[in-house]
Amino acid sequence: MKFDSAKIENLVENSFEMNNNVSALEEIISEVVNDIVPSETKLKKKIEMIDSTVEYLNYELLVTFIKQGVEFGIFPIIAKYHPKLEEIPSLVKYPNKQFILDYIKTALKLGILKYDDDKIKINDDFELTIKMPKFDKIISDYVMKYNFITHVSRYALISYNHPKIAISFKKDPDIWDMILSSPYYAFCREIASDYLKIGGEDYILDVGCGSRSPKYFMDIVYPKGYYMGVDISKGLLQIAESRIKRLYHDSYDLKNIDFNEVIPKEKYDYVICTHTMKYAPSLKQFLNNMVSSIYSGGKIFISEEFIVGKNENIYKDVFEFYNRLNKRFVGYYSEKDIVDALKSLGYEFKIDRLGNGILVIEKS
């Protein structure tokens, strides 16, 4: 399950080229499947594929994390010197000491390292049991996303601002546009529209809409409905605009705003929040903005790779370690975090759970 990081650039490039070549075939297959498979069965299969992909990634990231501890020279130094935490940055000869400390603290949380009094040692009792994945359920190009991230993480040894760490929403919209084109994110959009039963007259607010969702949802709600997409990346919104302005002249708006700070004035039937909540510095404010944007009976569709606590096999800390390469990342939240925040705001609501990474909140 280890990945040859030296080949990542070629693999990523070839992967995106293949996406274009197979798109026509995917459309044909999709049409056939749509005709013969019940919608509820398709929905369950898509959720299962997303969960299976994340569970596979979980093990691959952990193996890669351990491998990098050897490659970066961190584990050999700890095994030899048994240093105190504050001594390690001076022993590991890389400029970015904060990244080294973050790696050590993550390894301690994972149980790979341990404290012996005030010294740090390798935990010889650490064991990793890998559950064989369902390979026919894995969305391979989403795995490629994390292979790219783990590859560029080595440049963080020099600086978090190294130009090779090209995962900024604002600076690298082209890369994020390719990532958002993957079947993984397409499934998230389809699950949202299918489960919510979004129709042609619905008003949709899409938080962190990116470059791909606007056209997808406009295809559903135009011309009688309305779509509002908000995102902090001006570049992603420009790409989205280029895709829809030739097809639709009204019934939509795209705004370059930080949703953590702005409360929309309009009211919507549904809010879509796909892989955005983990960037919210204040969960309470973020949820309040979404709930106050919908009518009574309206729903909020929240999708993340996982909701903390839903799958005990997920190593949350290793996902968070690599996601911190994106400066806007805050962390993954649990269902309890969400419920407590909504209760503290005084809202009445109910929650539906789909798989390990999706929650649907209905406002009473």
Side-chain angles (χ1 to χ4, degrees), residues 97-156:
K97 306 304 182 183
Q98 187 59 46
F99 180 72
I100 298 299
L101 286 174
D102 191 23
Y103 183 95
I104 299 298
K105 291 176 182 178
T106 301
L108 285 165
K109 290 178 181 178
L110 292 167
I112 299 168
L113 300 177
K114 66 177 182 178
Y115 278 109
D116 187 352
D117 292 329
D118 60 345
K119 295 185 177 182
I120 294 177
K121 294 183 177 181
I122 303 294
N123 183 6
D124 295 328
D125 296 326
F126 179 81
E127 293 183 354
L128 173 59
T129 302
I130 298 179
K131 182 180 178 182
M132 186 61 71
K134 300 175 182 178
F135 289 105
D136 60 333
K137 305 293 185 184
I138 294 173
I139 307 171
S140 58
D141 63 349
Y142 195 69
V143 177
M144 290 296 301
K145 168 195 170 181
Y146 271 97
N147 286 334
F148 173 70
I149 292 174
T150 57
H151 173 69
V152 300
S153 68
R154 67 194 60 206
Y155 297 105

Side-chain angles (χ1 to χ4, degrees), residues 231-242:
D231 202 290
I232 62 165
S233 172
K234 186 176 181 180
L236 285 173
L237 292 178
Q238 288 173 338
I239 295 172
E241 180 76 22
S242 70

Side-chain angles (χ1 to χ4, degrees), residues 133-199:
K134 300 175 182 178
F135 289 105
D136 60 333
K137 305 293 185 184
I138 294 173
I139 307 171
S140 58
D141 63 349
Y142 195 69
V143 177
M144 290 296 301
K145 168 195 170 181
Y146 271 97
N147 286 334
F148 173 70
I149 292 174
T150 57
H151 173 69
V152 300
S153 68
R154 67 194 60 206
Y155 297 105
L157 291 166
I158 302 171
S159 170
Y160 281 122
N161 296 318
H162 195 285
K164 289 285 188 179
I165 306 177
I167 54 174
S168 166
F169 297 123
K170 293 185 177 182
K171 295 180 180 179
D172 311 294
D174 291 340
I175 289 177
W176 275 103
D177 179 55
M178 290 189 290
I179 291 172
L180 294 171
S181 71
S182 79
Y184 179 94
Y185 286 102
F187 277 5
C188 290
R189 293 187 285 269
E190 291 166 9
I191 292 168
S193 63
D194 292 346
Y195 183 81
L196 298 174
K197 295 180 171 58
I198 295 175

